[in-house]
Structures are given as structure tokens and as C-alpha cells.
Amino acid sequence: MIELRYFAWLRERVGTGHETVETEAATVADLIEELKARDEGYAFAFSDTGAIRAAVDQELVAFDAPLAGAREVAFFPPMTGG
Amino acid sequence: MPEIIVQAETFDMGAMLNRFAGRQVNAGAVVSFSGIVRDVATGDLNAMEIEHYPGMTERALAKIADEAMDRWSLADAFILHRHGRMGPGETIMMVATASRHRADAFAAAEFLMDYLKSRAPFWKKELTSDGAAWVEARDEDEDALSRWQSGG
């Protein structure tokens, strides 16, 4: 079981800020493909992966990052702090 | 140890800067930067809302501050960033650095800002009379990081 978190416009498009999923995905990229295959809403939310960043257990990672042992995966647009 | 504060409440930047400067014993220089909510081009910003990722936010800011402490000869560093709703003119965030000589404090403060803008999980949304719109990340913000990565 992995806890998924969504932020900013990705949260709005997915329609929730967090959910728990059962997944066999080996990497962040695999997980994105799984989510996109769910329904049109997810497919739309994840349609432009160039505009999406990911964190595994609260550390920013590349999409080829492995999910083995991960507890929490977050997806969000590029950050705009400061 | 750098101090990191993430809060929704307003703060008095002068008071926070005095507090930071007041606890330095071995620093001859203190540099600070404050970010303020600016109006949109059309001049009708009602509010700005900042979303963040509780937990990761504090970790990311601490990591950036630790990196600054490693790269420059700093006595101390401080980051305060707000989240939630704020109006035009309100202070969003501040950073402060302290060092023996000013060059380190200036460079480290710029480094903190450059990294904080695109590596700390905050997202700004502008609320105007036309509705709400997420602020888009600018290419310049990402480009600003490259100068710290090459040779720095």
C-alpha cells in the first residue's frame, strides 16, 4: 500500500488531495501509467508529464526512481515559492 | 543550526530580523531578503493563496539551509515562509544569513532564495475578480539554479 498525495492544480484535476493505492509499479513512471489508465480524469491530470514533479517519501525524485519500500508518493506542478 | 519556520500567521519582519541578529555572537554581517505579495498586472489582486506540502516543506527548507551552511562560511541562517491566504502587500517569507564578512552572507542569501523558489514545495494561486489562477513557474527560476551548480 502506498499513500498518494496531490498538490495545486494536479490535486484539483484528480479531485482529491490523497488516496491509498495497491500497486505493483516498479518506478514513479510506471505508477503514472497505472494512474492514467484508470479513467479520463487521471489521464487528463497526468497528460503533460513535463509539467509534473514527483516526490518519494518527501524527497524530490526523477520519474525513473524506484518505488520499492516507498510509503508516500506525491505529484505536483513545478514549485512556486519565495 | 539554521532555524526554519513554516506558518500561516502574519509576522513582523523587523522583529524577526532583530531576533536573528540579536543572537549572533561571532558575525559581522547580517543579510536579509523579504518576499511581498505583489499585485497582478491588471491591478485587481484580491488575495494570494499558498499551498504547501506539510512535512516535505520543512525537510526541503532545512536541506537548502544546511547546504548553504556547508558552501559558505556562515554563522547562522534563518528561513520563514508562510502558507495560506494573504493580501497584497503582506509579507510572504523572509530569509536571513549571518557571517563574519558580508560576501558570504550576501551569496548565501541569494542561494537560499534561488533554491527555495523552485525546490521547496509551495504553490501560489492568485485570486482576482476574474477568478483564481495558479502561478506558473518561470524558466528563469530554474535557470537561476544552474549558476550554483557549475563550479560554485
Coordinates of all heavy atoms in Angstrom, one line a residue, chain A residues 5-9 11-12 55 57-60 72 74 76-82, chain B residues 51-53 55-56 59 63 81 93 116-118 120-125 134-135 137:
Chain A
R5 N -0.2 11.5 -2.7 CA -0.6 12.9 -2.4 C -0.5 13.7 -3.6 O 0.3 13.6 -4.5 CB 0.5 13.5 -1.4 CG 0.8 12.7 -0.2 CD -0.3 12.8 0.9 NE -0.6 14.2 1.2 CZ -0.1 14.8 2.3 NH1 0.7 14.3 3.1 NH2 -0.6 16.1 2.6
Y6 N -1.5 14.6 -3.8 CA -1.5 15.5 -4.9 C -1.6 17.0 -4.5 O -2.3 17.3 -3.5 CB -2.8 15.2 -5.8 CG -2.9 13.8 -6.2 CD1 -3.8 12.9 -5.6 CD2 -2.1 13.2 -7.2 CE1 -3.9 11.6 -6.0 CE2 -2.2 11.9 -7.6 CZ -3.1 11.1 -7.0 OH -3.3 9.8 -7.3
F7 N -1.0 17.9 -5.2 CA -1.0 19.3 -4.8 C -1.3 20.2 -6.0 O -1.1 19.9 -7.1 CB 0.4 19.7 -4.2 CG 0.6 19.0 -2.9 CD1 1.3 17.8 -2.8 CD2 0.1 19.5 -1.7 CE1 1.6 17.1 -1.6 CE2 0.3 18.8 -0.5 CZ 1.1 17.7 -0.4
A8 N -1.8 21.4 -5.6 CA -2.1 22.5 -6.6 C -3.0 22.0 -7.7 O -4.0 21.3 -7.4 CB -0.7 23.1 -7.1
W9 N -2.7 22.4 -9.0 CA -3.7 22.0 -10.0 C -3.8 20.6 -10.2 O -4.8 20.1 -10.7 CB -3.5 22.8 -11.3 CG -2.2 22.7 -12.0 CD1 -1.2 23.7 -12.0 CD2 -1.6 21.6 -12.8 NE1 -0.1 23.3 -12.8 CE2 -0.4 22.0 -13.2 CE3 -2.1 20.4 -13.1 CZ2 0.5 21.2 -14.0 CZ3 -1.3 19.5 -13.9 CH2 0.0 19.9 -14.3
R11 N -4.0 18.3 -7.8 CA -5.0 18.0 -6.8 C -6.4 18.3 -7.3 O -7.3 17.5 -7.2 CB -4.7 18.7 -5.5 CG -5.8 18.6 -4.5 CD -5.4 19.3 -3.2 NE -5.1 20.7 -3.4 CZ -5.9 21.7 -3.7 NH1 -7.2 21.4 -3.8 NH2 -5.5 22.9 -3.8
E12 N -6.5 19.5 -7.9 CA -7.8 19.9 -8.4 C -8.3 19.0 -9.6 O -9.5 18.7 -9.7 CB -7.8 21.4 -8.9 CG -7.5 22.3 -7.7 CD -7.4 23.8 -8.2 OE1 -7.1 24.0 -9.3 OE2 -7.5 24.7 -7.3
A55 N 7.7 13.4 -5.8 CA 8.5 13.2 -4.6 C 8.2 11.8 -4.0 O 7.0 11.4 -4.0 CB 8.2 14.2 -3.5
D57 N 8.6 9.6 -0.5 CA 8.8 9.8 0.9 C 9.4 11.2 1.1 O 10.4 11.4 1.9 CB 9.7 8.7 1.4 CG 9.0 7.4 1.5 OD1 7.7 7.4 1.6 OD2 9.6 6.3 1.3
Q58 N 8.8 12.2 0.5 CA 9.1 13.6 0.7 C 10.5 14.1 0.2 O 11.0 15.1 0.6 CB 8.9 14.0 2.2 CG 7.5 13.6 2.7 CD 7.2 14.2 4.1 OE1 8.0 14.7 4.8 NE2 5.9 14.0 4.5
E59 N 11.0 13.3 -0.7 CA 12.3 13.8 -1.4 C 12.0 13.9 -2.9 O 11.4 12.9 -3.5 CB 13.4 12.7 -1.2 CG 13.9 12.6 0.2 CD 14.9 13.7 0.6 OE1 15.3 14.5 -0.3 OE2 15.2 13.9 1.8
L60 N 12.3 15.0 -3.5 CA 12.1 15.2 -4.9 C 12.9 14.1 -5.7 O 14.1 13.9 -5.4 CB 12.7 16.6 -5.3 CG 12.1 17.3 -6.5 CD1 10.6 17.5 -6.3 CD2 12.7 18.7 -6.6
E72 N 5.1 6.9 0.7 CA 4.3 8.0 0.3 C 4.9 8.6 -1.0 O 6.1 8.8 -1.2 CB 4.4 9.1 1.4 CG 3.6 10.3 1.1 CD 3.6 11.3 2.3 OE1 3.1 10.9 3.4 OE2 4.2 12.4 2.2
A74 N 4.2 11.7 -3.9 CA 3.5 12.9 -4.2 C 3.7 13.4 -5.6 O 4.8 13.2 -6.1 CB 3.9 14.0 -3.2
F76 N 3.0 16.8 -8.2 CA 2.6 18.3 -8.1 C 3.3 19.0 -9.3 O 4.2 18.5 -9.9 CB 3.1 18.9 -6.8 CG 4.4 18.4 -6.3 CD1 5.6 18.9 -6.8 CD2 4.5 17.4 -5.3 CE1 6.8 18.5 -6.3 CE2 5.7 17.0 -4.8 CZ 6.9 17.5 -5.3
P77 N 2.8 20.2 -9.6 CA 3.4 21.1 -10.6 C 4.7 21.6 -10.1 O 5.0 21.6 -8.9 CB 2.4 22.2 -10.9 CG 1.4 22.1 -9.8 CD 1.6 20.9 -9.0
P78 N 5.5 22.2 -11.0 CA 6.8 22.9 -10.6 C 6.4 23.9 -9.5 O 5.4 24.6 -9.5 CB 7.2 23.6 -11.8 CG 6.7 22.8 -13.0 CD 5.4 22.3 -12.5
M79 N 7.3 24.0 -8.5 CA 7.1 24.7 -7.3 C 7.2 26.2 -7.5 O 8.0 26.7 -8.4 CB 8.0 24.2 -6.2 CG 7.7 22.8 -5.8 SD 9.0 21.9 -5.0 CE 9.8 21.2 -6.3
T80 N 6.5 27.0 -6.8 CA 6.5 28.5 -7.0 C 6.5 29.2 -5.6 O 5.7 30.0 -5.3 CB 5.3 29.0 -7.8 OG1 4.1 28.4 -7.2 CG2 5.3 28.5 -9.2
G81 N 7.5 28.9 -4.8 CA 7.7 29.5 -3.5 C 8.4 30.8 -3.6 O 8.7 31.3 -4.7
G82 N 8.7 31.4 -2.5 CA 9.5 32.6 -2.4 C 8.7 33.9 -2.4 O 7.5 33.9 -2.5
Chain B
E51 N -0.3 27.1 -1.2 CA -0.5 25.7 -0.7 C 0.9 25.1 -0.5 O 1.9 25.6 -1.1 CB -1.2 24.9 -1.8 CG -1.5 23.5 -1.5 CD -2.4 22.8 -2.6 OE1 -3.1 23.5 -3.2 OE2 -2.3 21.6 -2.7
H52 N 1.0 24.2 0.5 CA 2.4 23.6 0.7 C 2.2 22.1 1.1 O 1.1 21.7 1.2 CB 3.2 24.4 1.7 CG 2.8 24.1 3.1 ND1 3.8 23.6 4.0 CD2 1.7 24.2 3.8 CE1 3.2 23.5 5.2 NE2 1.9 23.8 5.1
Y53 N 3.3 21.5 1.2 CA 3.3 20.0 1.5 C 3.9 19.8 2.9 O 5.1 19.7 3.0 CB 4.2 19.3 0.4 CG 4.3 17.8 0.4 CD1 5.0 17.2 -0.6 CD2 3.7 17.0 1.4 CE1 5.1 15.8 -0.7 CE2 3.9 15.7 1.4 CZ 4.6 15.0 0.3 OH 4.7 13.7 0.3
G55 N 5.5 18.7 6.1 CA 6.5 17.7 6.3 C 7.6 17.8 5.3 O 8.7 18.1 5.7
M56 N 7.2 17.7 4.0 CA 8.3 17.9 3.0 C 8.8 19.3 3.0 O 10.0 19.6 2.7 CB 7.8 17.5 1.6 CG 8.9 17.7 0.5 SD 8.4 17.1 -1.1 CE 9.8 17.8 -2.1
R59 N 11.4 19.8 5.6 CA 12.6 19.0 5.2 C 13.4 19.7 4.1 O 14.6 19.7 4.1 CB 12.2 17.6 4.7 CG 11.8 16.7 5.9 CD 11.1 15.4 5.3 NE 12.1 14.6 4.5 CZ 12.2 13.3 4.6 NH1 11.4 12.7 5.5 NH2 13.1 12.7 3.9
K63 N 17.1 21.3 4.3 CA 18.2 20.8 3.4 C 18.9 21.9 2.7 O 20.1 22.0 2.6 CB 17.5 19.8 2.4 CG 18.5 19.0 1.6 CD 17.7 17.9 0.8 CE 18.6 17.4 -0.3 NZ 17.8 16.5 -1.2
H81 N 8.7 31.0 6.0 CA 7.8 31.0 4.8 C 6.3 30.8 5.3 O 6.1 29.9 6.0 CB 8.2 30.0 3.8 CG 7.8 30.3 2.4 ND1 6.5 30.4 2.1 CD2 8.5 30.4 1.3 CE1 6.4 30.7 0.7 NE2 7.6 30.7 0.3
M93 N 7.4 35.8 3.0 CA 8.5 35.0 3.5 C 9.7 35.9 3.8 O 9.8 37.0 3.3 CB 8.9 33.9 2.5 CG 9.2 34.3 1.1 SD 10.8 35.0 0.8 CE 11.8 33.6 1.3
L116 N 15.0 28.0 -2.8 CA 13.7 28.0 -2.2 C 12.5 28.1 -3.3 O 11.5 27.5 -3.2 CB 13.7 29.1 -1.2 CG 12.6 29.4 -0.2 CD1 13.2 30.1 0.9 CD2 11.5 30.2 -0.9
K117 N 12.8 29.0 -4.3 CA 11.7 29.3 -5.3 C 11.4 28.0 -6.1 O 10.2 27.9 -6.4 CB 12.2 30.4 -6.3 CG 12.1 31.7 -5.7 CD 12.2 32.8 -6.8 CE 10.9 33.3 -7.3 NZ 10.2 34.1 -6.3
S118 N 12.3 27.2 -6.4 CA 11.9 26.0 -7.2 C 12.2 24.7 -6.6 O 12.0 23.7 -7.3 CB 12.6 26.1 -8.6 OG 13.7 26.9 -8.6
A120 N 11.4 24.1 -2.9 CA 10.6 23.9 -1.7 C 9.2 23.8 -2.2 O 8.7 24.6 -3.0 CB 10.8 25.1 -0.8
P121 N 8.4 22.9 -1.6 CA 7.1 22.6 -2.1 C 6.0 23.6 -1.7 O 5.2 23.3 -0.8 CB 6.8 21.2 -1.6 CG 7.6 21.1 -0.4 CD 8.8 21.9 -0.6
F122 N 6.0 24.8 -2.4 CA 5.0 25.8 -2.2 C 4.4 26.0 -3.6 O 5.1 26.0 -4.6 CB 5.6 27.1 -1.7 CG 6.1 27.1 -0.3 CD1 7.5 26.9 0.0 CD2 5.2 27.2 0.8 CE1 7.9 26.9 1.3 CE2 5.7 27.2 2.1 CZ 7.1 27.0 2.3
W123 N 3.1 26.3 -3.6 CA 2.4 26.7 -4.9 C 1.5 27.9 -4.6 O 0.7 27.8 -3.8 CB 1.6 25.5 -5.4 CG 2.5 24.3 -5.7 CD1 3.2 24.0 -6.8 CD2 2.8 23.2 -4.8 NE1 3.9 22.9 -6.6 CE2 3.7 22.4 -5.4 CE3 2.3 22.9 -3.4 CZ2 4.1 21.2 -4.8 CZ3 2.8 21.8 -2.8 CH2 3.7 20.9 -3.5
K124 N 1.7 28.9 -5.5 CA 1.0 30.1 -5.3 C -0.2 30.2 -6.2 O -0.1 29.8 -7.4 CB 1.9 31.3 -5.7 CG 3.0 31.6 -4.7 CD 3.6 33.0 -5.1 CE 4.8 33.3 -4.2 NZ 6.1 33.3 -4.9
K125 N -1.3 30.7 -5.7 CA -2.5 30.9 -6.5 C -3.0 32.3 -6.4 O -3.0 32.8 -5.2 CB -3.6 29.9 -6.0 CG -4.8 29.8 -6.9 CD -5.8 28.9 -6.2 CE -6.6 28.1 -7.3 NZ -7.5 27.1 -6.7
W134 N -3.4 29.5 -10.9 CA -2.1 29.1 -10.3 C -1.0 29.9 -11.0 O -1.0 30.0 -12.2 CB -1.9 27.6 -10.5 CG -2.9 26.8 -9.7 CD1 -4.0 26.2 -10.1 CD2 -2.8 26.5 -8.3 NE1 -4.6 25.5 -9.1 CE2 -3.9 25.7 -8.0 CE3 -1.8 26.8 -7.3 CZ2 -4.1 25.3 -6.7 CZ3 -2.1 26.4 -6.0 CH2 -3.2 25.6 -5.7
V135 N -0.1 30.3 -10.2 CA 1.1 31.0 -10.7 C 2.0 29.9 -11.4 O 2.3 28.9 -10.8 CB 1.9 31.7 -9.6 CG1 3.2 32.3 -10.1 CG2 1.0 32.8 -9.0
A137 N 5.5 28.4 -12.8 CA 6.9 28.5 -12.6 C 7.6 29.2 -13.8 O 7.1 29.0 -14.9 CB 7.5 27.1 -12.4

